[in-house]
Every structure is written in structure tokens, then in C-alpha cells.
Amino acid sequence: MDSNEAIFNGLKDAGIDFIVSVPCVNLSKLLNMIDEDGEITHVPVTREEEGIGICAGAYLGGMKPAILMQNSGLGNSINGLKSLTELYEFPLLMIMSHRGTEGENICGQVPMGESTPLLLKAMDYKFFKPAHPEGAYEDVKEAWDLSKEEGKPVSVLLEIKYW
Amino acid sequence: MARREAIEEIMKYIDDELVICNIGFPSRELYDIKDRQKNFYMIGSMGLASSIGLGLALAKPNEDIVVIDGDGALLMNMGSMVTVFANNPKNLTWIVIDNGAYGSTGNQDTYAQKLDLVDVARGVGFKNSHNFKDINLKEFIRSDDASFIVYTTDSGNSNAAIIDLTPIEIKNRFMNSI
């Protein structure tokens, strides 16, 4: 499995069938794979918090939702995650490209990159940081199971070195 | 006429439709006027009513979804207008009660007073963008494109009480009704 296949296969084997996305260059191949999969409803959104609402609605309608985004989108989503997803105990898998980590070449990504794990901890949301594709495949499946069990969002952070 | 009367009027057209209702007084007033299992009351997350409605509409293409939104909430998540239009779920009817005010926080003015929201939605591309007073709502609930309807009212809240259901109860009974 390469780095993209690992995430994609994890999503498929977790049963994820509804994905909203805001792109990141590191997610571009994965987003193409999702777009081409006939069993997954893929909805690109204009801003991440909008995607949180769409995922909640999709879950109300019986689907298994995930959001794919850059970690900057976590900053745009916090109220929706707290006062919708967590409040009503909607499960949500968050696959985040974690910019601003080792190997980052854009300084603007660094402040949010450094704060992302701290924010997730402050929000009391669990997250995984897989180092290689085999781990990522397992982490994606486990993150969805954990999210269903806890009724809270669970994230998989994909640092630059992962790819 | 204020929002409460608008919600009463909208609910005359609702039979089996799934209703997603905006946070604050709109949900409290709907709960007071006509509580039903197929109502989803928002307790937090201002701006996301239309997004919840879109996700539900895409997940349940054979159910009709009606979103009761507000002008302030729409302005907070304006990108949703683009996403709803681009996905064009024919089973989604998005009604914005435009009272020109942030009603639940004390009726402060919104910028919607300076806009014609029907024209804004037409500009984005909605074929079905109308003022409520000009249409039969049921026709638009059943139409073959997503609909954007503006219901213009005065500002002001009723004395509807805080909803005495927990968020989990609201979610579970709503999901069980589908």
C-alpha cells in the first residue's frame, strides 16, 4: 500500500460512504480516488465548518461521514464540532493533512500546525498520527470505530513526512 | 407579522417532510407551535441549518427536506448558498425567514436589510428563488430543483419557552422517524 491507498482502503473498510472535503495539495491524489469511487458521495465545500454541518445531516440520514481537510480547517470548524457534532453525539471521522510539521516550506502553515494537536487535546478529542501506510490503514478504521463509540469527532493527522 | 406567524404559516404546508430548524427562537417557536418527531431543532452551531439540510437531502434523496433558516444565520454561512446550488438536491427547500434582525440576541440589525436575498440566490443560480408570498410552497417542495424561499417578516420574538428535550432525544426521535 502506498500512502494514499492506505487512507483510501481504510476509509472503504471502515464503511465510510459520505465525504466532504476542502483540498490540500497533500490530499489531492486521495481526493481523486474518492471522486472516482461510485460508492462514496463526495461533496466539496466552501469552508470547513459548513462541511461539519453537512456531515451531521448525512449521519441523520443514515450515512457514515468523514471530512478531509487541511489542519487549518480545524480552526474554522471548532464551534460546529462542539455545539453540533459533540452536542448531539454525531460520529465524525476527520482526516487532516497536518501542515506546518517537519519538512514544511511555507511559514504561514507553522503557527496553526503547532497548535493543531494542542487544540485537539483542549477539545478532548482523540487523534492518531500514523508514521507509515500500514499504521494509517489501521488508524483510519480504529478512528471511525472510536468516534462511533464516543459520539465525538476523532482525527487522523497526516504529517508532511507521512507522505 | 413576526417570525412566529411565518412559522405557523409554513407548517400548514408540512405533512411528512423532514424539517431542520435554525437555532434559538425559531426552534423554540416551532417546538411551541407544532412539535413533531420529524423536526430537528438546532441548539447550537448558528449558520449550519442549511448545511445539515444539504447533508440530509443528499443522504435521503427520497425524502423531502425543509430548512427553516434566518437571515442572520444565512449571512454567517453564505458559502452554503453556493454548495447547495452546485449540488442542487431536488428534495431540499430552504426557507429563510428574513426579519432583518438577529432575533435571538436582542434584534440587532443584520445586513440583510440592505440586500434582496431572492435576488442574491438568483444571482448564484437558483432557478427556484422566490418570495413566500408569491408561491404555493408545496409546489416548490415537490419541484425538480433545490428551492430558495424568502419569507419577509417584522422582527420580534414570541414568549416560546426553551425546548425541554435533550439534544440526544431530538436526534434519536428524528432518526427513528425516517
Side-chain angles (χ1 to χ4, degrees):
Chain A
M1 279 192 288
D2 74 8
S3 54
N4 292 290
E5 280 172 358
I7 309 295
F8 183 76
N9 292 344
L11 290 166
K12 292 293 288 181
D13 290 348
I16 298 296
D17 55 6
F18 191 97
I19 290 176
V20 304
S21 70
V22 179
C24 171
V25 66
N26 293 344
L27 297 173
S28 56
K29 283 183 189 161
L30 182 58
L31 289 171
N32 287 340
M33 293 166 83
I34 288 164
D35 235 9
E36 286 164 12
D37 187 280
E39 293 171 342
I40 297 175
T41 302
H42 179 208
V43 184
V45 297
T46 63
R47 189 173 165 91
E48 293 82 357
E49 192 183 26
E50 180 196 7
I52 303 303
I54 295 171
C55 283
Y59 182 79
L60 281 176
M63 300 193 86
K64 295 175 180 169
I67 185 165
L68 266 67
M69 62 185 180
Q70 206 173 83
N71 61 310
S72 52
L74 176 66
N76 290 342
S77 304
I78 288 175
N79 187 58
L81 291 168
K82 280 285 172 189
S83 63
L84 180 65
T85 312
E86 180 180 333
L87 182 72
Y88 290 87
E89 296 184 5
F90 289 125
L92 176 64
L93 175 58
M94 303 205 293
I95 307 287
M96 267 189 264
S97 167
H98 189 182
R99 301 293 301 267
T101 49
E102 187 187 332
E104 177 65 58
N105 58 9
I106 296 177
C107 69
Q109 296 283 5
V110 174
M112 189 65 199
E114 288 176 348
S115 291
T116 292
L118 301 172
L119 285 168
L120 289 170
K121 280 177 194 159
M123 294 166 82
D124 196 23
Y125 292 169
K126 295 188 173 130
F127 60 92
F128 296 82
K129 286 204 294 181
H132 50 76
E134 287 72 22
Y137 170 77
E138 293 300 334
D139 287 351
V140 168
K141 288 198 302 174
E142 199 177 330
W144 172 247
D145 288 341
L146 193 58
S147 181
K148 279 190 296 183
E149 191 183 309
E150 293 198 324
K152 278 184 183 183
V154 177
S155 303
V156 177
L157 298 182
L158 302 166
E159 296 186 2
I160 291 170
K161 65 187 179 192
Y162 167 76
W163 305 99
Chain B
M1 179 202 270
R3 183 202 314 105
R4 185 187 174 97
E5 287 72 36
I7 295 173
E8 283 174 355
E9 188 64 23
I10 290 164
M11 292 309 287
K12 290 179 186 167
Y13 292 85
I14 300 299
D15 301 304
D16 288 333
E17 291 83 358
L18 300 168
V19 175
I20 306 290
C21 190
N22 187 23
I23 180 179
F25 268 105
S27 276
R28 290 162 63 167
E29 290 174 349
L30 175 60
Y31 183 65
D32 197 39
I33 292 163
K34 191 173 186 181
D35 181 40
R36 52 203 278 281
Q37 294 199 352
K38 294 188 176 210
N39 290 351
F40 183 82
Y41 305 109
M42 289 175 70
I43 308 292
S45 65
M46 181 173 166
L48 296 186
S50 60
S51 302
I52 298 167
L54 174 59
L56 181 61
L58 294 172
K60 284 286 176 194
N62 297 320
E63 300 275 352
D64 284 319
I65 319 298
V66 173
V67 171
I68 299 177
D69 210 350
D71 54 301
L74 165 75
L75 296 177
M76 190 172 275
N77 183 15
M78 199 99 170
S80 181
M81 201 184 259
V82 176
T83 309
V84 170
F85 163 71
N87 285 275
N88 193 27
K90 68 176 185 181
N91 56 335
L92 181 62
T93 302
W94 180 4
I95 306 172
V96 175
I97 298 177
D98 180 4
N99 63 3
Y102 292 101
S104 299
T105 55
N107 290 312
Q108 298 87 355
D109 290 350
T110 73
Y111 286 131
Q113 291 183 9
K114 299 174 184 289
L115 305 171
D116 182 328
L117 295 174
V118 171
D119 281 350
V120 172
R122 284 204 184 125
V124 167
F126 279 86
K127 287 181 201 160
N128 296 335
S129 176
H130 296 279
N131 202 299
F132 182 86
K133 65 178 168 31
D134 299 330
I135 60 160
N136 176 338
L137 180 61
K138 207 71 176 180
E139 283 177 21
F140 287 88
I141 288 172
R142 291 178 180 152
S143 72
D144 288 337
D145 289 293
S147 299
F148 182 87
I149 310 296
V150 174
Y151 200 135
T152 308
T153 73
D154 299 323
S155 63
N157 306 312
S158 71
N159 58 1
I162 287 175
I163 294 170
D164 58 1
L165 299 171
T166 68
I168 308 301
E169 285 170 338
I170 293 169
K171 177 184 76 170
N172 287 343
R173 66 181 206 150
F174 185 85
M175 291 182 76
N176 290 335
S177 78
I178 302 177

